[in-house]
């Protein structure tokens, strides 16, 4: 038999009253958490005063830390930074690639050494990484961009190739190191090769291939991997630490002699 409790002019079963009280208690416990979870994310600030300077060891960036203020029930802490570089692909797509990221370092200076190409401009920006309550690695808004211009680098000259006793002998004159004093020094010479027809047109499916990375004093290289009867163009790149120089190419291909069959 159900026991009813009279509330005013309405009789309410006892079990219903107990569920109502329990529901009210749960609502009181969960309401603050629901309000916090339903609130919008707090406003985060961007780093300011972002600058970059080309150095021998890379690009030295500096900036002013973003303003950090806890508000609206959020505990906010700056924990690190991300430095990004803009890119654009041949198909027209673009975006940002990460050159540096740390969620444990809040220093406002950083030197990065991405692989860059001479005589080119690059755009960079910095983003703060925040911890919001117990959530880590929340990215803030980006700073203004800074453009770094990589000047032209000295290249090797007098590149030539001749048939040697054991293969193709490639030779060149080392690049003149009269570059600006605040830029990287010569660190390597890269030898490349392209298979072509007799007129110097690349054969189907052929592309420039790196054969060797040599020291800065090198002025010659012997290529023993060519195929008998094939023609090749050779190229050189001067590498200045994190800057890759443009390829210097031969204008006329050289043919590997065909092997002479013995009787």
């Amino acid at each position: 038999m159900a026991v009813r409790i009279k509330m005013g002019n309405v009789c309410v079963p006892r079990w219903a009253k107990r569920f109502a009280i329990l529901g009210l208690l749960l609502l009181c416990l969960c309401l603050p958490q629901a309000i916090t979870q339903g609130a919008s994310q707090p406003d985060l600030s961007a780093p300011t005063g972002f600058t970059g300077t080309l150095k021998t060891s890379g690009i030295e960036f500096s900036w002013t830390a973003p303003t950090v203020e806890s508000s609206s029930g959020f505990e906010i802490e700056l924990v690190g930074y991300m430095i990004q570089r803009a890119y654009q692909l041949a198909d027209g797509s673009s975006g940002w690639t990460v050159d540096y990221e740390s969620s444990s370092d809040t220093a406002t200076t950083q030197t990065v050494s991405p692989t860059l190409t001479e005589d080119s401009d690059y755009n960079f920006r910095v983003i703060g990484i925040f911890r919001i309550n117990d959530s880590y690695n929340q990215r803030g808004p980006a700073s203004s961009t800074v453009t770094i211009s990589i000047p032209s680098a000295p290249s090797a000259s007098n590149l030539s190739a001749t048939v040697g006793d054991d293969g193709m002998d490639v030779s060149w004159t080392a690049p003149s190191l009269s570059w600006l004093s605040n830029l990287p020094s010569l660190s390597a010479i890269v030898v490349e090769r392209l298979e072509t027809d007799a007129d110097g047109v690349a054969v189907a499916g052929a592309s420039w291939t790196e054969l060797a990375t040599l020291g800065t004093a090198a002025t010659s290289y012997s290529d023993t991997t060519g195929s008998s009867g094939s023609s090749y163009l050779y190229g050189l790149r001067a590498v200045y630490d994190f800057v890759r120089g443009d390829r210097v190419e031969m204008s006329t291909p050289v043919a590997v002699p065909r092997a002479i069959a013995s009787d």
Side-chain angles (χ1 to χ4, degrees):
M1 179 180 67
V3 178
R4 298 178 179 273
I5 299 174
K6 189 174 182 180
M7 297 179 64
N9 295 325
V10 180
C11 290
V12 180
R14 180 175 295 176
W15 63 266
K17 181 179 180 181
R18 290 176 178 176
F19 273 101
I21 295 173
L22 179 60
L24 183 61
L25 290 174
L26 291 175
L27 179 63
C28 293
L29 291 173
C30 297
L31 185 59
Q33 183 177 0
I35 292 175
T36 300
Q37 292 178 346
S40 60
Q41 288 292 314
D43 292 333
L44 301 175
S45 299
T48 58
F50 184 51
T51 62
T53 304
L54 198 58
K55 300 288 186 178
T56 57
S57 56
I59 304 173
E60 184 180 280
F61 293 106
S62 63
W63 59 91
T64 300
T67 302
V68 179
E69 294 182 357
S70 297
S71 60
S72 302
F74 292 97
E75 291 295 329
I76 305 173
E77 180 184 0
L78 177 69
V79 295
Y81 292 100
M82 175 186 297
I83 296 176
Q84 298 177 319
R85 170 167 44 98
Y87 69 83
Q88 183 166 6
L89 302 179
D91 62 4
S93 60
S94 60
W96 294 88
T97 185
V98 177
D99 285 329
Y100 167 81
E101 181 177 3
S102 174
S103 58
S104 61
D105 185 0
T106 56
T108 55
T109 60
Q110 181 65 41
T111 298
V112 299
S113 301
T115 300
L116 306 179
T117 302
E118 67 163 314
D119 198 22
S120 301
D121 293 335
Y122 295 90
N123 290 325
F124 294 86
R125 68 185 188 183
V126 63
I127 292 174
I129 301 175
F130 298 85
R131 183 182 67 205
I132 303 175
N133 293 345
D134 293 330
S135 179
Y136 286 82
N137 296 342
Q138 298 292 313
R139 299 183 185 180
S143 69
S144 58
T145 61
V146 62
T147 301
I148 301 296
S149 298
I150 307 298
S152 298
S155 301
S157 57
N158 301 322
L159 175 62
S160 63
T162 57
V163 179
D165 294 336
D166 299 322
M168 306 301 291
D169 292 336
V170 186
S171 62
W172 60 89
T173 301
S176 173
L177 304 182
S178 59
W179 211 10
L180 298 176
S181 59
N182 67 321
L183 298 182
S185 58
L186 182 67
S187 56
I189 296 290
V190 176
V191 183
E192 301 179 336
R193 185 183 69 188
L194 174 67
E195 185 176 1
T196 71
D197 60 19
D199 296 324
V201 178
V203 300
S207 59
W208 284 97
T209 303
E210 291 189 7
L211 296 178
T213 299
L214 309 176
T216 58
T219 56
S220 63
Y221 175 75
S222 181
D223 176 19
T224 60
T225 62
S227 299
S228 176
S230 297
S231 296
Y232 298 100
L233 286 176
Y234 289 91
L236 291 179
R237 288 185 186 271
V239 179
Y240 297 84
D241 290 340
F242 62 95
V243 177
R244 289 175 61 86
D246 290 335
R247 182 190 305 113
V248 176
E249 304 173 8
M250 293 171 47
S251 58
T252 304
V254 178
V256 177
R258 295 185 180 277
I260 301 176
S262 59
D263 295 336

